[in-house]
Amino acid sequence: MLHVALWEPEIPPNTGNVARLCAATGVRLHLIGRLGFRLDNRSLKRAGLDYWEAVDLVRHITFEEFEQAIKGRIWCVETPGVKSYTRADFADEDCLLFGNESKGLAPTVREKYAETLVGIPMPTGKVRSLNLATSVGVVLYEALRQLYDW
């Protein structure tokens, strides 16, 4: 099983869309730290539609608690990333970790996981980052393609 983790997400519709992706793909979703919304938020539920019951959701109060729960590698998806996500060699039990919408991941996390830090190329250079849910979809489906030879 693959895992997707969101560190302190701020925008309910993004988290709802990621939850829907996880329900569709059978991937466990981890929400870490202080959330920018309540889990019963209407926007969050609306974005996830009626799929919340199909989401394998794990809530972690601390980053350390999250790290202990993951058995595979933690891939940090961040902008910028020196290595493209297409160059990563994803494996079963790996976790794709995404930072929050305004700040990304903490520098200490990026440093600790420098070996597994990847990014999504944005060749025009006209934007700082992609939408969180879009980024999760792009990288998640590449990892699934690798695992299941799609």
Side-chain angles (χ1 to χ4, degrees):
M1 170 188 290
L2 281 175
H3 303 260
V4 165
L6 304 181
W7 167 252
E8 298 190 343
E10 300 164 325
I11 302 172
N14 284 339
T15 301
N17 283 321
V18 171
R20 190 173 178 178
L21 274 169
C22 291
T25 57
V27 171
R28 181 168 290 150
L29 174 60
H30 300 261
L31 299 180
I32 311 161
R34 189 181 66 77
L35 307 180
F37 48 83
R38 293 177 16 178
L39 287 175
D40 64 352
N41 184 294
R42 253 174 79 191
S43 298
L44 181 71
K45 292 197 182 290
R46 183 174 174 208
L49 296 175
D50 56 348
Y51 302 115
W52 277 103
E53 290 181 15
V55 178
D56 183 357
L57 177 64
V58 181
R59 179 78 174 89
H60 305 281
I61 301 305
T62 67
F63 192 79
E64 294 75 22
E65 181 185 313
F66 157 71
E67 287 177 303
Q68 291 173 2
I70 301 301
K71 295 181 180 22
R73 293 170 295 178
I74 295 174
W75 291 92
C76 294
V77 183
E78 190 63 54
T79 301
V82 176
K83 179 179 180 178
S84 172
Y85 75 98
T86 60
R87 302 280 184 227
D89 184 23
F90 299 111
D92 192 34
E93 294 299 329
D94 282 356
C95 182
L96 309 174
L97 172 63
F98 297 82
N100 68 32
E101 291 89 342
S102 64
K103 297 178 195 137
L105 293 168
T108 54
V109 172
R110 290 194 303 265
E111 290 169 18
K112 182 174 183 177
Y113 293 100
E115 294 293 315
T116 54
L117 181 89
V118 296
I120 300 171
M122 293 179 284
T124 69
K126 295 180 181 180
V127 297
R128 285 187 315 277
S129 63
L130 297 175
N131 173 276
L132 176 61
T134 299
S135 297
V136 172
V138 166
V139 180
L140 174 58
Y141 269 87
E142 170 59 18
L144 291 167
R145 184 196 67 77
Q146 288 182 23
L147 286 176
Y148 301 110
D149 197 29
W150 290 351

